[in-house]
Each structure stands twice: as structure tokens, then as C-alpha cells.
Amino acid sequence: MVAAASPVYAQQEPQIAVNVEPRVIHAGGRVTYTIEISTQNNLQINTEREPGFGDFQVVGRMTAPQFMIRNNQASRQLTITYTLAAPRKPGTYRIEPPIIQVGQSRYTPVSLDVKVVNQNDLPAPEQRTDHHFYLDVQVSPDRPPYVGEQILISYDLFVDTRRIQVRPRPPSEPALDAFWLEDISSQTSGRRKTVSVGSRLLEQTPLRTFIAFPLNAGTATIDAMTIPLVRGSFFGPTSELSLSSDDFTIEVKPLPDGAPAGFHPRNIGQWDFHGAMSSRHAKV
């Protein structure tokens, strides 16, 4: 009797990458620092030392682990994303790398520099014309809203997956200072679906969705969003690029005349008020 040999997989070095976007930011703005780790085995992945952010303030941290078995081969992936507030003083600031432990081995990626400038010194965003993928922003309803009226602002990534493979990283956060906002991205983010755009089928990935209420009548700006993308498969050759939507303005209409005395201009909507009592009888 001959026993069949089990497949033997050669030990492969893990793939570890760090990235920060954008590399040039205005004082006090937000940047995203990402650690991506992948290993084609079942070794544990841990962060032995956090990145050294120096004068940057950490305002958010998200961890996304993943474990897969394919063709009897286990693999692990770990993505750690930090949202950072940039220093208030212009200058070039360095982010020191973390120490990553995969199994019994330790790895230290490269350090990264971020340039902090005044708002007026920001470079114009790079324009991408690749029609296989684009970033779109939609506002509904498609008409000028009244001050205080609820609208929906959504940022979506569209990709022709038959022509290109891209993996989005966490996008920049639009300021949208002209609105009172409720972020409902957790209800829609990452829920991909296939949609028909013209004669093509594209994969639509919601990135951010906001319920927004214009604060003042007049011109309101819908800020652009920038998203870092990794082009290529996770384990194959990759390249990095940045994709930006366009910013644009909408006209917010003032409320018509005739409001009752004491009416606040932001109390717009349909309201239902109900009252109830638990019992009509009570002890003395």
C-alpha cells in the first residue's frame, strides 16, 4: 500500500505595505494611514509596536482581519486603518513605521512623510480620465432644496471589473461645512452591486452616504472626495493611484414668506406628534 503524500507548500514571506493619503494636506486636515498585511499561511499577525505618529493626532482606528482557505491553502490578511488630524503648523512631518510580527518573525516597513501646508498652497487634485473606473457624487432630490430641507449626499466608486481590478482604501472625509450632517455610511458602505451605466455593466461600491440639511440659504458647496486605490490583485503586482471626484455647488432656496411667529427656519419636514397615558387611574 502506498500512502498519498500531502501537498507541501513553500514558506513565503508575508506582504506588508504602509501608505498615507494624501501626502500633502492643509493644516489641521485629515489623512488616512493604512497598514496592509497578507500571508499565504496560517501564521498569526500582530502589531508589536504601533506606528509613531508624532505631531499627528489619532482620531480613529479600524481593524479588518480576514482568514481564507483556498485549495487547501490557508491565508490571512489584516488591514489596519488610522484616521489622523494633521498638525496646525506647516512643515514636513514623518510617520515612523510599526513593527509587525507574523508568526515568529518581525518586520518593519518604511517611514512616510506628509507635507502640511496652508489651505491656499494645496496643489490641484490630479485628474484621472480612465473610463474603466471613476468616483461619482450624487445629491437627491435633483432640485434646489430649501434651507433646512433634508437631502441625501452619496459618494460611490464605479469600476468595470472585467477590465481592471482595484481595491479602495479609506477615502478622505469631505468637510461639507454648509450642512448639518448625519453619517449613515455604516448602512451602505461596501455593499457592492452591479449596475448598468450606458451600455456597460459596472460594479458600484458606496463609500460615504450622508443625510444633510442645508444650514443657510444661498450657495452651498458639495466637497470633493479623494480615495486611494491599489490597482492589481492582492498577491500579484500592484500599483497605487489616487482618484478624486469633482466638487460642485448647489443653490439653497430661502423659505417662502408667511411663516408663523417663532418659527425656526430649520424646522422643515413632516412631523407627527402623539401622546399616550399608561393608565387613566392612579392611587391617591
Side-chain angles (χ1 to χ4, degrees):
M1 183 177 67
V2 179
S6 299
V8 177
Y9 297 98
Q11 183 74 23
Q12 298 188 23
E13 287 294 310
Q15 295 188 6
I16 301 175
V18 293
N19 186 59
V20 61
E21 288 288 345
R23 296 295 181 93
V24 181
I25 187 67
H26 63 84
R30 300 294 176 91
V31 298
T32 301
Y33 182 89
T34 307
I35 308 170
E36 288 186 307
I37 310 155
S38 64
T39 177
Q40 290 185 304
N41 47 53
N42 196 22
L43 297 177
Q44 292 295 324
I45 303 173
N46 296 296
T47 305
E48 185 174 294
R49 186 188 70 192
E50 294 285 316
F53 294 118
D55 292 327
F56 287 90
Q57 180 184 0
V58 178
V59 295
R61 186 183 189 276
M62 182 176 64
T63 302
Q66 188 175 4
F67 175 74
M68 296 181 296
I69 297 179
R70 183 178 299 168
N71 298 329
N72 295 323
Q73 173 77 8
S75 64
R76 289 184 182 272
Q77 300 174 10
L78 177 64
T79 302
I80 307 174
T81 305
Y82 301 84
T83 302
L84 310 174
R88 294 288 180 178
K89 183 178 179 181
T92 300
Y93 296 83
R94 174 155 295 183
I95 298 177
E96 299 297 339
I99 295 179
I100 304 298
Q101 182 173 351
V102 181
Q104 299 300 316
S105 301
R106 292 175 175 80
Y107 302 88
T108 304
V110 298
S111 58
L112 299 174
D113 290 339
V114 178
K115 187 176 182 181
V116 178
V117 299
N118 294 319
Q119 181 75 44
N120 296 335
D121 297 329
L122 279 175
E126 181 181 3
Q127 297 297 319
R128 292 283 176 175
T129 58
D130 193 328
H131 63 282
H132 298 319
F133 57 99
Y134 59 91
L135 183 58
D136 189 41
V137 56
Q138 295 288 335
V139 177
S140 60
D142 186 17
R143 58 169 174 77
Y146 286 100
V147 59
E149 181 182 6
Q150 175 181 307
I151 63 175
L152 194 68
I153 303 174
S154 56
Y155 296 82
D156 299 276
L157 175 66
F158 291 84
V159 180
D160 187 344
T161 55
R162 296 172 300 175
R163 302 292 186 88
I164 191 173
Q165 286 186 332
V166 293
R167 290 185 290 115
R169 286 175 168 162
S172 65
E173 298 296 340
L176 299 173
D177 292 333
F179 305 88
W180 184 90
L181 296 175
E182 181 180 351
D183 189 346
I184 59 170
S185 302
S186 60
Q187 303 176 26
T188 60
S189 181
R191 297 182 181 179
R192 299 179 176 87
K193 62 180 180 180
T194 301
V195 296
S196 176
V197 180
S199 60
R200 296 185 299 162
L201 291 177
L202 303 180
E203 183 181 79
Q204 178 184 1
T205 303
L207 301 174
R208 291 289 185 272
T209 306
F210 301 97
I211 295 175
F213 301 85
L215 297 176
N216 298 291
T219 301
T221 299
I222 307 294
D223 299 286
M225 172 182 282
T226 299
I227 182 170
L229 298 172
V230 179
R231 185 171 183 168
S233 63
F234 201 98
F235 293 107
T238 62
S239 60
E240 296 184 2
L241 54 93
S242 184
L243 188 65
S244 295
S245 65
D246 294 325
D247 59 358
F248 61 94
T249 59
I250 61 173
E251 290 301 319
V252 179
K253 299 187 295 184
L255 296 179
D257 296 331
F263 179 80
H264 195 283
R266 296 176 189 168
N267 287 340
I268 307 301
Q270 297 180 355
W271 303 88
D272 290 322
F273 295 93
H274 301 277
M277 296 181 64
S278 60
S279 174
R280 290 191 176 186
H281 305 280
K283 292 183 179 180
V284 176

